[in-house]
Amino acid sequence: MTKTYFKLIFLFALSLFVVSCSNDDDNTVAPDEALTEFKYLRILLSDEKTTQLTLVNPVDATSAFFNAKFAKSSLYTTESGRYAGIVHRVDNTVETFDSGFESHGDHVDVDGLPKFGALIGQSALPTHFKSKIGEILTFNDGDGTLSVAKEKDVNTAGAQFKIINAGLLAHHGAMAAFGNGTYAITVKDNSVTGTLPEKVKIIDNTGKTLFEPTLVTKGIHGNASDGTYAVFGSASGVLVVENNGKQKLIAFPEDFGTAWFGTILETDYNGKFVGYTAAKGAYLIDVVNGTIKPIIQNTTIMQCKVSYNHKKLGILLHSGDFKLFDLNSLQAEKEGKIITETASDAVLKPQIQLTEKFAYITSPSTGELLQLSFEKMSIVNKIKVSNTPYMITILGFENSESH
């Protein structure tokens, strides 16, 4: 009887030990981890009719509200991910916003509360926004100048943007920053009727021309840069400008006709960019090999956005269907109908941004931010924001580790 009792106790203890070891060795992902956003990511939205900015914490679906200087602002995230640029084009003003998150690679520190930055810019029609090599830049359509400031000065009292005058005519232009501290900037000589520029030259941070244009196009709009190559959408082909002054045109596919890429997006892959035109669809541009390959050929695309880590491409159609593509394989990974149809002539259309796990879609008709789970391919949250959400950007880091 005694031996049997102790044998039962021993077997019970052994079973607990085995279960404990089994749990310790279990490296499977927690069931809800794929359904939870990273702790240090935030979604910032502007409003079409009011000055309200909404900062959404998607982890707990809460919102904080702020007031910008003007309504209907365009929102952009700086290179570091910590700050946002708030561009008020018609009001000649650029504001900055601080998420309060500071990345240290393997973890993130909270460095204060979310707030507007002290850095404010005043320029003539600031339009095209970029952030590279620790800088914040706008191209100012009103006078053809650049405004440049350092990210590290966002919270410096009295900090201002530096104006770079490269002797350009006023035009609807663009610029790209190279890793060596120089800039590719569009040039207009009025050989093309309208507001679009025709050429690109390279300047230094004083506005001095380092490399003159070597190619002339029928009009330029949209660009991106990976630090080595600056790529511009052009009616004559994809214009590629290297930091050493070399320029070339990549011809469009034969079936393009008069269509051309008015939007160029950066990817996580060196020398590879996404070109988008509503007339044809989204394509992968390989500037090294000089090729243009289709990702999706569709003329009903409403939104075309690269993910926050630049590895995926999200496509939202007017029908309400969403498609997620891998930018390495160019294969569709997820797809499904996620919202109701949006008329092609709608005044205010849904906007999207993508993280590794979710897509965030504005709902202008309901004043909500919709959170689409890639795991479930369904809307898992509807978060109240402003009444008429206008633009959207992601702030912070795809990281949940603290110090």
Side-chain angles (χ1 to χ4, degrees), residues 19-261:
V19 170
S20 176
C21 289
S22 175
N23 288 339
D24 288 344
D25 293 338
D26 186 5
N27 293 318
T28 58
V29 177
D32 61 348
E33 187 172 314
L35 301 177
T36 304
E37 187 56 275
F38 291 100
K39 181 179 178 180
Y40 296 109
L41 271 184
R42 298 292 183 268
I43 314 299
L44 185 67
L45 304 96
S46 61
D47 190 74
E48 183 195 27
K49 298 178 180 179
T50 73
T51 62
Q52 183 173 310
L53 295 182
T54 308
L55 185 68
V56 173
N57 180 349
V59 174
D60 57 12
T62 58
S63 299
F65 303 95
F66 304 83
N67 284 300
K69 291 185 178 296
F70 306 99
K72 206 174 182 178
S73 54
S74 297
L75 304 178
Y76 305 93
T77 302
T78 63
E79 181 185 35
S80 71
R82 173 169 178 165
Y83 308 106
I86 305 167
V87 178
H88 308 285
R89 184 181 189 270
V90 298
D91 296 294
N92 305 318
T93 302
V94 176
E95 293 182 272
T96 51
F97 188 87
D98 182 6
S99 68
F101 296 148
E102 184 176 80
S103 176
H104 292 277
D106 63 341
H107 71 277
V108 177
D109 287 345
V110 177
D111 184 27
L113 296 173
K115 62 183 182 297
F116 284 99
L119 176 66
I120 296 178
Q122 298 289 332
S123 56
L125 298 179
T127 306
H128 198 77
F129 181 96
K130 290 291 178 184
S131 180
K132 289 285 186 184
I133 58 174
E135 293 182 334
I136 302 169
L137 305 95
T138 63
F139 184 92
N140 307 312
D141 284 5
D143 57 12
T145 63
L146 286 185
S147 294
V148 183
K150 300 289 187 182
E151 282 199 65
K152 64 181 180 61
D153 291 331
V154 165
N155 291 317
T156 300
Q160 296 181 339
F161 283 79
K162 170 188 173 183
I163 300 298
I164 298 178
N165 192 331
L168 302 174
L169 296 176
H171 67 279
H172 183 48
M175 71 293 167
F178 290 117
N180 62 5
T182 63
Y183 310 102
I185 189 168
T186 55
V187 176
K188 180 161 183 61
D189 60 10
N190 288 322
S191 59
V192 172
T193 302
T195 61
L196 295 181
E198 307 87 5
K199 305 174 183 177
V200 172
K201 68 177 180 177
I202 297 178
I203 63 172
D204 65 14
N205 60 9
T206 70
K208 176 185 176 182
T209 299
L210 301 177
F211 298 99
E212 293 283 358
T214 61
L215 293 174
V216 181
T217 73
K218 298 176 182 178
I220 294 169
H221 190 277
N223 87 292
S225 171
D226 62 3
T228 300
Y229 300 98
V231 181
F232 295 81
S234 151
S236 301
V238 175
L239 177 61
V240 181
V241 180
E242 296 184 45
N243 57 16
N244 60 8
K246 291 182 180 179
Q247 301 189 10
K248 68 178 180 181
L249 283 167
I250 301 176
F252 293 117
E254 292 183 359
D255 63 349
F256 262 49
T258 59
W260 56 284
F261 299 134

